[in-house]
Amino acid sequence: MTHESQHRTGRSRTQSQPSAPGGDPRDTSTAAASVAAGESASATASAASATSHTAARATSHTAARTTDHDTTRHSVKPLSISSRLGRLRFHRSGKFRVLQLADIQDGPNVAKDTIRLIEAALDASRPDLVVFTGNQIAGYDTAYAGTFRKRRWEHAQNRLDRLAGRRREIELERTRRLVTASIARFVKPLIERGVPWVVTYGNHDFQCGLDNAELDAIYREFGGCVNPPPQPAAEPVAAAAAVAAADANPAALGIIAPVLAAPRSGLPDQPVYPCSPGTFAMPVLDADDDRTVMGLVLLDSGDYARDGGYGSPSIRDLDFVRRVMGAIADANSDGASVVGAARDMAGMAGTSDVVADAAGAVSATSAVSVAGAAGVSRAAAKAHAAPRSLVFQHMPLPQFYGLLRQVPATADRAIEGYRTFTGRHYVLDESRTQPGSYLGEGISCPDHDSGEWGVLQQSGDCFGVVAAHDHRNGFVGTLGGMMLVATPTCGFGSYGPAPEQRAARLFEFDIRHPYEPRTQLLQFGDLVGKPSSRKAYAYDIADMRPDSEGMDLLRRPSIWRTLRQLFRRR
């Protein structure tokens, strides 16, 4: 989220990093500097906007930095079961776990308590994958003052462009080193534990002066990163022709071919569908590798709009999401997509008149309804059910307001809306949200619907959207058959709830009902205890229970939670 005037406080912490027992257990070479340089050079071939600087940067500053996680091996078995298996898969227990880390939003000296929370959440949840959902980098931090740009399109008016060429490159090189050091601090716990991770971007990352393509190349230098090199954008005429052809005949348009994740990602057998920096998709298989169960889609949701407020995903990225969800839905050789399922069912009924939505697809519910009309059992219809996808992005959609209920400004816990919703006050609609959800600020979404909601809902291939951005919101609800999730900040470098309530979010998927995951906020107070400092820019939510999500996916209550529950009963 923004509030830049409040964020730019000029903090200059000097915090020691936690000691590390070892490095990346999946590195394929101890000569990490040369590996990183090679990967970065390869990556920049795909990221045209970063090609002029990235290869040289990777060779120079990667060799210079002293990161023990790139150069030291240890024999500890990876914490991630998927990492042990080489790709994202459900366990024999029927479970699959994803840990979301939202809005670290800090400068080069990442807060010690942020690292402590990441370490504790990893150890407690043992996730298959970690998803960083944007604003890892506080681009407005004073450390990046020499290259700071408030808006992406203001780059030409930025002070940086008025500097002499050599001085400009020196400033950029300094920023690259600082950003690399910041990333090294917060991914170190993941690398040490053998947990693969992916990254998308928010509205503050680019403000450091490096665009998302260059940031993406830096992330890929680190072991465990599953982000693929982005694909070059198609020519506008060719793209328009392809979309027109898809509208006329959806089967005529093939999806971008998947690539295998880099060996040092820890998932060498993992297919990844690439698009642009921060936008890509990954299928998740069952325990036997027989079929795709679901997809995980990361989407760069944009930063700022030229006419004010927050931005939206690009047209290219939205088209990719639509197509890649369809590709994942079609992945199983023994099952059709949702569209195919409906057509099969209509054929059984002896009718060819299937009512499709604007995207040329029908929902899974419609498929079951058609099957029922044909006298086909619901079990047979479910056998045709296609894999569906969950989308992770930084920015919430305007539809998130559909989980709220408008109330008078004087109502208990009433929160005023943001921009388009200014002047109206809201509380969570308890009939649409899960117990333990909380609303601590207005939902800061784009002013206008970009069409994303229609892309996600109309196809029937998406079952939910997970967002970040609003540091003080933590809720889970259902709207139009879609799960909508807001996750608070896990960082201690910017505003948020009380320090004890900053959290990572755990998702646990069950093979029996993979599109109805259970989720829990893993809060600092429960996992770690007392913060090392009360200096975090905090807004306390006094009436929020520490065990806010109402369930315990860890099944191992901490001593802090046990003590708090005892005191609460008195």
Side-chain angles (χ1 to χ4, degrees):
M1 189 176 172
T2 183
H3 307 307
E4 291 163 14
S5 62
Q6 296 172 330
H7 288 327
R8 300 193 69 183
T9 55
R11 289 172 288 104
S12 58
R13 292 187 301 269
T14 56
Q15 297 166 337
S16 59
Q17 299 180 51
S19 58
D24 185 353
R26 303 172 305 287
D27 253 340
T28 57
S29 171
T30 54
S34 62
V35 172
E39 286 191 3
S40 180
S42 172
T44 53
S46 300
S49 62
T51 51
S52 59
H53 301 297
T54 307
R57 169 183 51 75
T59 303
S60 60
H61 86 285
T62 303
R65 61 191 171 119
T66 56
T67 50
D68 60 352
H69 56 265
D70 275 345
T71 58
T72 308
R73 295 171 180 250
H74 66 82
S75 58
V76 175
K77 184 161 56 175
L79 199 65
S80 164
I81 293 179
S82 285
S83 185
R84 301 177 203 171
L85 300 173
R87 66 166 300 160
L88 299 177
R89 284 172 47 180
F90 275 75
H91 316 161
R92 290 294 176 186
S93 65
K95 308 296 184 183
F96 178 80
R97 286 185 163 192
V98 173
L99 187 70
Q100 179 195 7
L101 297 174
D103 296 275
I104 290 176
Q105 202 162 315
D106 211 339
N109 296 320
V110 181
K112 178 181 178 181
D113 284 337
T114 300
I115 304 302
R116 294 172 70 197
L117 175 57
I118 293 174
E119 292 173 335
L122 290 171
D123 292 337
S125 64
R126 305 175 69 86
D128 290 273
L129 181 75
V130 167
V131 179
F132 292 96
T133 46
N135 280 3
Q136 290 76 236
I137 306 299
Y140 52 79
D141 191 273
T142 54
Y144 309 122
T147 54
F148 169 75
R149 49 178 174 156
K150 186 175 182 180
R151 297 290 183 267
R152 190 180 304 278
W153 59 87
E154 293 178 354
H155 183 63
Q157 288 75 43
N158 193 283
R159 182 178 66 86
L160 177 64
D161 288 306
R162 297 196 294 269
L163 298 176
R166 176 58 181 162
R167 183 181 170 192
R168 179 177 185 273
E169 183 55 39
I170 290 173
E171 291 280 1
L172 282 170
E173 184 60 29
R174 179 177 180 275
T175 291
R176 293 184 190 110
R177 289 196 302 269
L178 292 173
V179 167
T180 301
S182 177
I183 294 171
R185 288 184 174 92
F186 62 73
V187 303
K188 184 177 181 181
L190 287 75
I191 295 173
E192 290 174 348
R193 290 160 175 80
V195 178
W197 47 278
V198 289
V199 176
T200 191
Y201 301 99
N203 58 301
H204 289 309
D205 297 286
F206 79 93
Q207 290 182 325
C208 68
L210 307 180
D211 62 24
N212 290 352
E214 187 159 8
L215 290 171
D216 214 62
I218 294 175
Y219 279 108
R220 294 196 305 273
E221 293 175 3
F222 290 88
C225 181
V226 189
N227 281 42
Q231 293 293 301
E235 293 295 328
V237 174
V243 172
D247 290 338
N249 179 15
L253 180 61
I255 192 65
I256 298 173
V259 298
L260 288 179
R264 64 200 306 265
S265 69
L267 299 173
D269 300 323
Q270 177 63 42
V272 184
Y273 292 90
C275 181
S276 59
T279 300
F280 54 95
M282 302 164 292
V284 181
L285 268 65
D286 66 1
D288 296 320
D289 276 348
D290 288 338
R291 65 186 180 91
T292 297
V293 177
M294 66 180 190
L296 299 176
V297 179
L298 272 77
L299 175 61
D300 179 359
S301 54
D303 42 69
Y304 296 98
R306 286 181 176 270
D307 57 352
Y310 292 110
S312 300
S314 69
I315 295 176
R316 178 198 179 198
D317 284 4
L318 283 181
D319 183 60
F320 166 82
V321 169
R322 175 178 62 84
R323 291 186 290 130
V324 80
M325 290 193 307
I328 291 172
D330 286 336
N332 297 330
S333 60
D334 60 346
S337 67
V338 173
V339 178
R343 287 173 179 164
D344 289 347
M345 296 303 174
M348 294 176 188
T351 176
S352 58
D353 185 18
V354 178
V355 180
D357 59 29
V362 295
S363 68
T365 303
S366 300
V368 173
S369 299
V370 174
V376 181
S377 70
R378 292 184 64 86
K382 289 185 71 175
H384 282 266
R388 303 173 69 194
S389 296
L390 179 63
V391 175
F392 289 86
Q393 62 186 60
H394 181 71
M395 211 74 68
L397 285 73
Q399 284 76 13
F400 275 50
Y401 272 91
L403 299 180
L404 310 185
R405 178 167 53 87
Q406 191 170 348
V407 297
T410 55
D412 183 34
R413 291 178 288 179
I415 297 291
E416 185 176 8
Y418 176 77
R419 284 183 64 91
T420 303
F421 300 89
T422 298
R424 287 170 279 181
H425 292 75
Y426 301 89
V427 295
L428 287 175
D429 186 339
E430 294 181 355
S431 68
R432 293 182 174 178
T433 53
Q434 293 183 8
S437 295
Y438 64 89
L439 182 72
E441 61 182 301
I443 298 171
S444 301
C445 58
D447 291 352
H448 311 290
D449 182 356
S450 66
E452 180 184 354
W453 180 254
V455 168
L456 299 180
Q457 190 184 46
Q458 290 173 357
S459 69
D461 294 331
C462 178
F463 66 90
V465 181
V466 180
H469 188 57
D470 296 325
H471 295 200
R472 291 185 284 151
N473 287 344
F475 56 79
V476 181
T478 303
L479 183 71
M482 296 254 290
M483 180 177 72
L484 301 182
V485 181
T487 299
T489 180
C490 72
F492 286 73
S494 63
Y495 86 101
E500 293 86 351
Q501 295 164 352
R502 303 192 181 213
R505 182 179 286 281
L506 173 63
F507 293 87
E508 184 176 83
F509 303 85
D510 191 306
I511 194 69
R512 297 167 297 180
H513 40 79
Y515 314 132
E516 300 171 1
R518 299 196 299 171
T519 181
Q520 178 183 357
L521 288 178
L522 308 183
Q523 296 182 327
F524 186 93
D526 293 328
L527 297 183
V528 182
K530 184 178 179 181
S532 61
S533 172
R534 303 292 300 190
K535 293 181 180 179
Y537 178 23
Y539 290 102
D540 197 356
I541 302 173
D543 60 349
M544 193 182 79
R545 294 166 63 95
D547 48 345
S548 62
E549 291 290 334
M551 63 176 66
D552 183 12
L553 298 180
L554 303 182
R555 303 178 186 88
R556 295 188 303 274
S558 69
I559 186 172
W560 291 103
R561 174 173 293 184
T562 302
L563 290 173
R564 281 180 173 153
Q565 289 174 341
L566 287 174
F567 282 117
R568 188 183 297 135
R569 294 184 186 125
R570 294 182 177 179

